[in-house]
């Protein structure tokens, strides 16, 4: 039983990472109707930039963090501005191909620029594991989970309670009409790209200390985050969060009690089962996916 | 890009990369060679002034780290060239990036034979890629010296054209297992192994040493979250864990053990013994035992280590003198020793005949001996321990 | 205020609008009627800049409308409703109306996220306008309902309300009464009549319902095959022979009033 509990706790940390990355996917998908398959390698690039800021420029941890995340937001907005705006009207197959190409291209570029030697990124917190009853958890795991929940709440607030959020929701439903109503659609879509890449970058930065930083670090994480987004209905923030934690915990339990070799298989079986019962995901609504 | 197909441009990129590599090789090789290289040679890759070797290694993708071994091969070739070459010829290396994808390795190996006309191959990296490469080289009787793998399907089958340099994974696994059981007296031993020929061959060696694992878990190389595995070893009460994994998963697993405050004795494969990258694994790397054939690169009293450390900055300036480079260096030592032992014309047959009678060759990685019926690699391995971000001899050995 | 001069629009071989002159004066209600395919909606779409005419001029308050992209039209004071309402179906009625105010001021993103004064002021203004529209169109009861769940007639009202929230000087209405019950139509006609007083906006109305058109209009323009065949006060429309002909063909008699589409 203790082992079971520990497996669940262990899954929370990675679950939060999947949730953050899934949020990044969903927020971009909401406004641009585009699945950013490059989100994993973009996140890795942000983590590499952070590594350079820390090891070569020797900035203090917090300053480097903020700078890297601002950089992520700028890269996100520029990606939309420079590349994806031009394929807005293209068939979705073309769009998918472009973001997939971007994924491979960025991963290759990161390899060329930073090399393949695993690099250390410091954890945010210091000190060893905390003991709670029979369970262990690291301060970083706690921080990651808390940060994910706080960010999700903040995003929810922005989306539901601010004009920017209203613009995003309107664009998500009908971009052309929103544009006619004078909603600044271009700015809003670029902003959601900024947000999305920032979240992917944050996920990469947070996971790097646990797995060590390398160009392909996010490959597997991206697959799980994508699964989390699908599970949550690909459009709902709450869905992405819940989906992330489910994938993290269930994934951990599968590798604990069955075999790690089946992790991905079972996660996708779970998705198929969920989609069978609820065709629009746990939190999705029919109207959302109709668009 | 106009109308060119993706495949066409990918190929163009490949040939561009290759052209750069060859170009650099030419630039750095001695210059009196150009006149004769155009004349028809009887043996592919052997011109009047040059001998061309080829190799496929991952320079990008998940295993790209191993691509550093090329620096060691290059450095030893240049060291040889600087000391007169072989039979008045300089050595060249055409090194292509296979991304650790066997299908790509096969294609590039064909290119190495057909387009680059290499004489032999040296220091090809990886178990699965090497198996692919051999399907091309063996029927054509092209020698391959020192594939970077100790997997059973490669080491346990005799091939006329294949000369192993690495100790087999079974040998390595045996050393780790017996050290854990007999020297460290561990009671409950856990084994984490990769679910392929690499992990399984090592695990076979561990079992050969008489170790019965309390818990044995296989993993997929792409896995990142090792929390469940760490918890399993912990709750089974393992006082020692043998980690048969490549660097990325090894680091993730070490971190996962730290997260649950689990500190068993750790033994691991030399494949992951890279101190500079293990600073990534928090405080868990120090104290880990590693089965090695390359001596700790801090042992400057060892003339082989000294030669390697002195030559790297001279012949491959700016490139890391890492354990991977030491692999390539060792394999190049064997390849060159075989060439130098040839009396008369250099052909693939005379090369193999010379290699077949190499005995007691001292290399950076240890002693290598071949006979016409045995092409096994280095036999002697020893334990080292990770200390202060470096590898050091185990005290008392 | 709105002025179309010699405007022609054709799509591959098909003439939609042919040399049309049209003026809408400040604070008046002008209606465009005509049989199906006469080019009425095309005229609205020209003004909304969905289409660009091959010849002619479209000016609004002395500005050349043809130089503006569609999404800037609302900024200079022209808002519209659609034949079939294009609401944000998953958003509440209130949110739909608030989107209408999007262009009224542009606080920066930072101001929005941190809710700084300029953003709050915008929000207050938008809320006031939305509340007013809810009251004006008797939509208070469905304020928080999801727009897509409302009956068709209500959706059309929300569509009109969203255009009113945009604070237009000219309101374009594309068949607002279509699909409504008789009582609702009468009520809607009444509301449209009050738009100039309540919102200070002129109205350009396209509708098939002759009862509504004749009741609310100051000026009626009848189109057929893309051309204007009559223009005048509503009282004169129903007795014009060319109008009758356009609607009924020449063989049959009767008045336009009987010939609702």
């Amino acid at each position: 039983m203790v082992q079971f509990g520990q497996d669940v706790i262990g899954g929370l940390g990675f679950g939060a990472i999947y949730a953050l990355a899934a949020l990044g996917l969903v927020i971009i998908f909401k406004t641009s109707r585009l699945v950013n398959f490059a989100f994993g390698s973009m996140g890795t690039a942000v983590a590499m930039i952070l590594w350079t800021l820390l090891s070569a420029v020797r900035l203090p941890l917090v300053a480097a963090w903020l700078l890297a995340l601002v950089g992520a937001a700028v890269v996100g907005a520029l990606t939309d501005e420079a590349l994806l705006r031009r394929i807005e009207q293209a068939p979705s197959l073309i769009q998918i191909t472009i973001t997939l190409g971007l994924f491979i291209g960025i991963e290759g570029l990161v390899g060329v620029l930073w090399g393949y030697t695993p690099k250390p990124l410091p954890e945010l917190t210091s000190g060893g594991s905390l003991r709670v009853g029979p369970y262990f958890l690291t301060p970083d795991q706690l921080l990651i989970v808390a940060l994910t929940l706080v960010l999700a709440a903040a995003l929810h607030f922005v989306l539901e309670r601010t004009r920017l959020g209203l613009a995003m929701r309107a664009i998500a439903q009908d971009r052309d009409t929103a544009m006619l109503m004078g909603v600044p659609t271009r700015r809003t879509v670029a902003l959601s790209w900024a947000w999305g890449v920032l979240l992917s970058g944050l996920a990469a930065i947070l996971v790097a200390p646990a797995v060590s930083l390398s160009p392909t670090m996010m490959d597997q994480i991206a697959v799980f985050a994508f699964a989390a987004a699908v599970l949550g209905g690909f459009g709902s923030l709450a869905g992405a969060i819940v989906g992330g934690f489910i994938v993290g915990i269930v994934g951990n339990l599968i590798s604990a009690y069955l075999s790690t070799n089946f992790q991905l298989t079972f996660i996708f079986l779970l998705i198929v089962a969920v989609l069978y019962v609820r065709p629009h995901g746990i939190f999705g609504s029919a109207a959302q996916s109709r668009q | 890009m106009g109308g060119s197909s993706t495949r066409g441009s990918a190929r163009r990129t490949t040939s561009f990369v290759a052209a750069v590599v060859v170009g650099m090789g030419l630039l750095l090789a001695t210059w009196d060679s150009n006149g004769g290289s155009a004349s028809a040679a009887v043996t592919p890759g052997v011109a009047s002034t040059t001998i061309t070797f080829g190799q496929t290694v991952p320079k990008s993708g998940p295993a790209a780290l191993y691509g550093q071994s090329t620096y060691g091969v290059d450095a030893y070739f240049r060291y040889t060239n600087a000391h007169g070459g072989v039979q008045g010829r300089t050595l060249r290396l055409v090194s292509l990036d296979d991304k650790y994808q066997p299908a790509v390795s096969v294609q590039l190996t064909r290119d190495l034979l057909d387009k680059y006309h290499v004489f032999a191959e040296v220091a090809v990296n990886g178990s699965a890629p090497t198996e692919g490469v051999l399907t091309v080289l063996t029927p054509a009787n092209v020698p391959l010296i020192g594939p970077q793998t100790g997997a059973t399907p490669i080491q346990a089958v005799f091939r006329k054209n294949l000369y192993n340099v690495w100790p087999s994974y079974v040998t390595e696994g045996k050393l780790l297992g017996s050290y854990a059981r007999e020297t460290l007296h561990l009671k409950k031993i856990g084994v984490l192994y990769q679910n392929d020929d690499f992990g399984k061959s090592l695990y076979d060696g561990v079992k050969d040493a008489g170790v019965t694992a309390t818990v044995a878990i296989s993993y997929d190389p792409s896995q990142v979250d090792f929390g469940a595995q760490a918890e399993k070893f912990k709750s089974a009460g393992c006082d020692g864990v043998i980690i048969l994994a490549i660097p990325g998963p090894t680091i993730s697993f070490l971190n996962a053990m730290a997260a649950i405050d689990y500190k068993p004795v750790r033994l691991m494969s030399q494949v992951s013994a890279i101190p500079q990258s293990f600073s990534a694994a928090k405080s868990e790397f120090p104290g880990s035992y590693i089965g090695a054939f390359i001596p700790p690169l801090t042992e400057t009293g060892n003339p082989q280590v000294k030669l390697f450390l002195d030559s790297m900055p001279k012949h491959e300036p700016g490139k890391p003198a890492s354990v991977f480079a030491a692999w390539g260096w060792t394999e190049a030592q064997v390849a060159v020793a075989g060439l130098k032992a040839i009396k008369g014309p250099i052909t693939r047959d005379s090369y193999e005949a010379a290699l077949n009678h190499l005995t007691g060759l001292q290399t950076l990685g240890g002693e290598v001996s071949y006979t016409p019926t045995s092409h096994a690699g280095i036999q002697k391995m020893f334990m080292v321990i990770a200390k202060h971000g470096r590898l050091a001899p185990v005290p008392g050995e | 205020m709105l002025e179309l001069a010699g405007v022609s629009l054709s799509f591959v071989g098909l003439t939609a609008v042919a040399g049309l002159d049209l003026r809408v004066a400040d604070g008046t209600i002008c209606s465009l009627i005509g049989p199906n395919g006469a080019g009425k909606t095309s005229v609205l779409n020209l003004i909304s800049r969905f289409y660009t005419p091959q010849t002619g001029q479209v000016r609004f308050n002395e500005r050349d409308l043809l130089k503006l992209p569609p999404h800037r039209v609302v900024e200079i004071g022209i808002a519209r409703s659609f034949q079939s309402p294009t609401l944000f179906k998953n958003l509440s009625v209130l949110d739909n109306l608030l989107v209408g105010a999007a262009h009224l001021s542009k606080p920066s993103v930072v101001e929005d996220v941190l809710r700084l004064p300029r953003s709050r002021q915008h929000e207050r203004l938008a809320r006031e306008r939305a509340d007013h529209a809810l009251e004006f169109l008797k939509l208070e009861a469905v304020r928080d309902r999801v727009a897509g769940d409302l009956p068709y007639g209500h959706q059309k009202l929300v569509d009109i309300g969203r255009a009113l929230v945009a604070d237009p000087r000219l309101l374009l209405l594309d068949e607002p009464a279509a699909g409504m019950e008789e009582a609702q139509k009468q009520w809607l006609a009444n509301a449209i009549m009050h738009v100039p007083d309540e919102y200070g906006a002129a109205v350009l109305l396209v509708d098939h319902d002759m009862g509504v058109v004749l009741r609310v209009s100051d000026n009626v323009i009848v189109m057929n095959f893309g051309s204007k065949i009559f223009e005048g006060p509503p009282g004169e429309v129903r007795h014009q022979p060319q109008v009758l002909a356009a609607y009924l063909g020449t063989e049959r008699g009767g008045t336009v009033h009987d010939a609702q589409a």
Side-chain angles (χ1 to χ4, degrees), chain B residues 41-176:
Chain B
V42 180
T43 303
V46 182
S48 59
T49 55
T50 59
I51 302 170
T52 306
F53 280 80
Q55 67 166 197
T56 49
V57 290
K59 296 174 202 282
S60 60
L65 206 51
Y66 299 138
Q68 286 184 11
S69 60
T70 299
Y71 307 145
V73 181
D74 259 335
Y76 192 73
F77 276 14
R78 284 172 196 158
Y79 165 82
T80 306
N81 292 340
H83 290 80
V86 178
Q87 291 191 13
R89 296 175 171 91
T90 56
L91 305 179
R92 305 187 335 163
L93 178 69
V94 180
S95 177
L96 302 180
D97 176 14
D98 67 0
K99 304 176 174 60
Y100 208 80
Q101 292 169 15
V104 179
S105 320
V106 169
Q107 181 57 46
L108 293 179
T109 304
R110 290 207 183 96
D111 285 353
L112 283 171
L113 296 188
D114 302 341
K115 276 202 225 148
Y116 300 100
H117 307 291
V118 300
F119 169 62
E121 294 211 11
V122 62
V124 167
N125 180 265
S127 304
T130 297
E131 286 182 55
V133 167
L134 285 170
T135 62
V136 180
L137 296 187
T138 303
N141 190 31
V142 178
L144 167 58
I145 293 91
Q148 288 161 0
T149 166
T152 304
I154 290 161
Q155 296 243 351
V157 182
F158 177 83
R159 293 176 183 83
K160 185 171 159 293
N161 65 320
L162 170 67
Y163 294 84
N164 287 297
V165 173
W166 275 34
S168 75
Y169 289 144
V170 175
T171 305
E172 184 181 344
K174 245 188 229 173
L175 174 67
L176 290 171

Side-chain angles (χ1 to χ4, degrees), chain B residues 326-342:
Chain B
W327 293 349
W329 177 275
T330 302
E331 287 135 10
Q333 281 182 306
V334 177
V336 170
L339 274 183
K340 285 188 166 166
I342 298 175

Side-chain angles (χ1 to χ4, degrees), chain A residues 3 6-7 14 116-120 123 129 136-138 209-212 216-217 220-221 252 255-256 260-261 263, chain B residues 59-61 64-65 68 195 218-219 222-223 225 228-229 231-232 234-235 251-252 255 258-261 280 282:
Chain A
Q3 193 196 338
Q6 187 66 53
D7 285 331
F14 271 88
Y116 288 86
T117 308
K119 294 172 176 51
E123 294 182 298
S129 297
F136 287 92
L137 65 172
T138 62
V211 302
S212 88
T216 53
M217 171 184 82
Q220 172 98 355
I221 292 166
N252 218 28
S255 63
T260 62
N261 303 318
Q263 222 178 2
Chain B
K59 296 174 202 282
S60 60
L65 206 51
Q68 286 184 11
N195 61 354
S218 72
Y219 75 92
S222 64
Q223 195 181 325
D225 181 1
Q229 285 77 6
E231 181 56 31
K232 260 192 187 172
K234 186 186 185 189
S235 52
I251 294 169
S252 296
N255 284 335
I260 54 169
D261 204 28
K282 292 190 235 160

Side-chain angles (χ1 to χ4, degrees), chain C residues 30 32 36 39-46 48 50-51 79-86 152 156 159-160 163 171-180 188 192 203-209:
Chain C
C30 176
L32 265 181
N36 280 327
K40 306 176 302 277
T41 296
S42 293
V43 173
L44 293 193
N45 287 346
L46 276 171
S48 294
F50 300 164
Y51 304 149
R80 73 175 285 179
S81 75
F82 293 85
Q83 209 165 331
S84 50
T86 55
Y152 190 68
K156 299 206 74 158
D159 196 17
I160 296 169
L171 177 67
L172 310 178
L173 298 176
D174 196 356
E175 304 202 16
M180 283 189 178
L188 176 69
I192 292 173
V203 178
L204 179 57
L205 169 71
V206 167
D207 211 289
H208 281 292
D209 191 293

